[in-house]
Amino acid sequence: MAYDDLRSFLHALNEHGQLLPITEQVKAEPDIAAAANATGRIGDGAPALMFNNIEGFNNAQVAMNTIGSWQNHAISLGLAPNTPVKEQIAELIRRWDKFPIAPEHRDNPPWAENTQEGADVNLFDVLPLFRLNDGDGGFYLDKACTISRDPSDPDNFGKQNVGIYRMEVKGKRKLALQPIPMHDIAIHLNKAEERGEDLPIAISLGNEPMITLMGATPLKYDQSEYEMAGALRQKAYPIAKAPLTGFDVPWGSEVILEGVIEGRVREIEGPFGEFTGHYSGGRNMTVVRIDKISYRTNPIFESLYLGMPWTEIDYLIGPVTCVPLYQQLKAEFPEVQAVNAMYTHGLLAIISTKKRFGGFARAVGMRAMTTPHGLGYVKMVIMVDEDVDPFDLQQVMWAMSSKVNPAGDLVQLPNMSVLELDPGSSPAGITDKLIIDATTPVAPDNRGHYSQPVKDLPETKAWVSKLTEMIAKQKQENK
């Protein structure tokens, strides 16, 4: 099922019993973030949360944890809620191959109902803002999609970027935005500043799930997030023209902000409780001036709690980090079987592969670190054989414990690039990277004693199916 806006997705979650209304009055701080934090601590299947009785706010609606479980992630893809994680990622890969699907331009977007312009812009009038962690330096927009264009090629649709970047609210029409150097918006900003210009942007808040997933996905520079969102939802993605910038924005958004990143202006931003499970300190970041707000009547404000994993961001960015890394590696190394990069946005990746010759797995691991995403994120790679499921950590730990000889299976690469938010980097943005080769050596690498592996019995596969059916039948009978 394809959703055109956040509200239709929330309706689907509700139909599947995956939306929990919080009707009692709560405090914006700390209750909303604490409840979202709690969804990651109550086991599998946590629902989305909807708050509509918030002390100090009139008619405020806040949605949290919308994609914060594998059940919700499956529903976002139009799959059955009980679809296993591995099958969800396989389905993402299947749909990925349908790229590109051209978007659909629509008129009369719901976010055009109300506007504020110029000096009348006041974010505090429109958005029910609250801090996500008690050490945050301010209010943050952390699930909004920011749209920017390449100043040197503004009419190139593929180079129009849709990305999710943290933004601190600094005033009624002022934000601080963090452009990670490896991200497309940083390239756009650098080009604008070289020309002595501001960078126009549009910011979309309250979105259906596919464009949110795309905003967190490391696509190639000239790949359109809207065309990939169409492929993933199996239907053309609806977009509309933002009135001030003319940029293409999601048709079904709750709120659209338009303005500019002011060229060569920086101010202190932060700290912020990040996806790494640590606070990032204050540092000089770009300044955004908001010149126009367009918004639905009584908009739903969607935010993202992030902190010590797992939280919603891990469900959001984990699968869509696995897929492009897999696709990029598979194109160059057909031997690659699967990629699990769901740990802290791919700072750790587990890759299964066949081998052409001795040392081949390490070469694949090095290539993973130099993909567009790997340059900033893939800090450690565990390489495993093709018969080891990288999504089954018991199998991975078996490979680590039985096949790794530290004397020859650890490859350490000094002074490599990583995003500055990695708390282990020193100085910020620089780290050693590590490849752990947990594959079986093949010629001419003849180390170890692996000539007599124990294999599953030929009949085991049939018994797996048989036992699974019997257990399901027994549970059904016992209801």
Side-chain angles (χ1 to χ4, degrees):
M1 177 180 179
Y3 310 104
D4 287 349
D5 58 12
L6 173 62
R7 299 183 187 212
S8 60
F9 177 49
L10 293 174
H11 178 73
L13 291 175
N14 187 54
E15 286 190 325
H16 286 286
Q18 285 297 118
L19 176 65
L20 181 63
I22 310 295
T23 56
E24 67 179 87
Q25 187 175 78
V26 300
K27 294 181 179 179
E29 296 183 16
D31 289 333
I32 297 178
N37 187 182
T39 60
R41 307 293 182 260
I42 60 176
D44 294 337
L49 306 178
M50 175 62 79
F51 300 87
N52 56 19
N53 187 1
I54 305 169
E55 182 180 311
F57 293 92
N58 294 322
N59 301 318
Q61 303 180 87
V62 175
M64 302 290 291
N65 204 55
T66 60
I67 314 178
S69 65
W70 291 123
Q71 288 86 335
N72 287 19
H73 189 272
I75 295 167
S76 77
L77 294 170
L79 302 174
N82 61 352
T83 303
V85 179
K86 192 174 180 181
E87 290 182 23
Q88 292 188 43
I89 293 175
E91 179 64 14
L92 279 171
I93 291 172
R94 187 189 71 79
R95 296 183 189 183
W96 202 276
D97 290 335
K98 305 298 182 182
F99 172 86
I101 292 181
E104 174 191 357
H105 291 265
R106 291 187 189 174
D107 297 325
N108 303 315
W111 47 257
E113 292 177 338
N114 307 277
T115 61
Q116 293 181 356
E117 294 189 65
D120 293 329
V121 167
N122 190 338
L123 293 168
F124 301 101
D125 286 343
V126 178
L127 305 176
L129 300 168
F130 53 89
R131 288 180 301 169
L132 293 161
N133 279 298
D134 53 14
D136 289 350
F139 306 125
Y140 274 84
L141 310 180
D142 67 337
K143 204 178 183 183
C145 289
T146 300
I147 298 94
S148 60
R149 290 185 176 181
D150 185 328
S152 63
D153 196 6
D155 296 326
N156 189 319
F157 186 79
K159 293 181 182 179
Q160 178 178 241
N161 181 61
V162 181
I164 294 179
Y165 313 101
R166 81 186 205 196
M167 291 176 279
E168 182 180 359
V169 179
K170 303 292 290 289
K172 68 177 186 178
R173 56 180 300 194
K174 180 180 177 182
L175 303 171
L177 183 147
Q178 177 177 252
I180 300 295
M182 298 81 178
H183 291 171
D184 292 351
I185 197 171
I187 298 172
H188 294 174
L189 178 61
N190 183 60
K191 290 185 177 184
E193 290 186 326
E194 285 181 344
R195 298 154 68 106
E197 299 171 354
D198 297 336
L199 181 69
I201 60 171
I203 300 167
S204 170
L205 293 89
N207 300 302
E208 62 74 46
M210 283 304 101
I211 202 60
T212 301
L213 290 173
M214 284 298 93
T217 302
L219 296 180
K220 295 179 181 178
Y221 183 67
D222 60 354
Q223 285 184 321
S224 165
E225 285 80 8
Y226 293 128
E227 291 177 342
M228 187 64 81
L232 295 190
R233 73 190 224 123
Q234 304 180 99
K235 184 179 180 182
Y237 191 84
I239 58 177
K241 289 291 183 185
L244 184 64
T245 58
F247 288 1
D248 301 300
V249 298
W251 177 88
S253 302
E254 295 287 317
V255 180
I256 297 292
L257 312 178
E258 295 179 89
V260 298
I261 299 178
E262 297 180 338
R264 300 184 180 178
V265 177
R266 302 292 188 273
E267 286 187 3
I268 291 293
E269 176 266 1
F272 183 59
E274 268 290 354
F275 71 92
T276 60
H278 296 79
Y279 285 97
S280 57
R283 50 173 66 97
N284 279 327
M285 289 295 166
T286 62
V287 174
V288 177
R289 185 188 72 239
I290 303 301
D291 296 319
K292 189 179 182 71
I293 304 180
S294 305
Y295 59 99
R296 295 182 73 151
T297 301
N298 296 328
I300 297 174
F301 179 62
E302 186 186 15
S303 190
L304 173 74
Y305 177 78
L306 62 169
M308 182 65 69
W310 275 53
T311 68
E312 183 184 2
I313 194 169
D314 298 289
Y315 297 97
L316 169 62
I317 63 180
V320 292
T321 301
C322 299
V323 177
L325 279 174
Y326 168 80
Q327 297 285 55
Q328 291 161 22
L329 290 173
K330 188 77 170 178
E332 298 176 356
F333 300 105
E335 293 83 0
V336 170
Q337 301 300 297
V339 175
N340 179 358
M342 292 198 294
Y343 304 102
T344 321
H345 208 354
L347 286 175
L348 169 67
I350 307 168
I351 302 170
S352 66
T353 186
K354 299 176 181 178
K355 287 94 59 187
R356 296 182 205 168
F357 41 75
F360 181 79
R362 291 168 223 171
V364 174
M366 292 183 70
R367 182 66 185 96
M369 292 175 172
T370 57
T371 59
H373 185 73
L375 285 171
Y377 290 88
V378 179
K379 182 172 66 171
M380 291 176 284
V381 176
I382 301 172
M383 300 299 305
V384 295
D385 289 323
E386 68 271 20
D387 58 354
V388 174
D389 180 357
F391 295 95
D392 186 334
L393 295 188
Q394 290 187 356
Q395 292 186 32
V396 174
M397 291 301 103
W398 167 75
M400 289 270 290
S401 61
S402 66
K403 304 209 176 193
V404 173
N405 182 341
D409 290 326
L410 305 181
V411 179
Q412 187 167 337
L413 305 170
N415 300 322
M416 302 287 283
S417 64
V418 74
L419 81 164
E420 292 182 353
L421 296 178
D422 173 25
S425 63
S426 181
I430 294 294
T431 187
D432 282 17
K433 293 192 173 185
L434 179 67
I435 300 169
I436 302 174
D437 188 353
T439 62
T440 306
V442 296
D445 185 358
N446 296 315
R447 296 171 299 129
H449 308 281
Y450 301 104
S451 61
Q452 293 180 303
V454 177
K455 299 289 187 180
D456 283 353
L457 294 169
E459 299 83 4
T460 298
K461 187 175 181 180
W463 270 100
V464 168
S465 298
K466 184 175 182 177
L467 292 174
T468 301
E469 291 175 5
M470 293 174 66
I471 292 168
K473 182 179 180 181
Q474 183 184 58
K475 287 182 177 179
Q476 189 66 31
E477 292 174 347
N478 291 337
K479 281 187 176 180

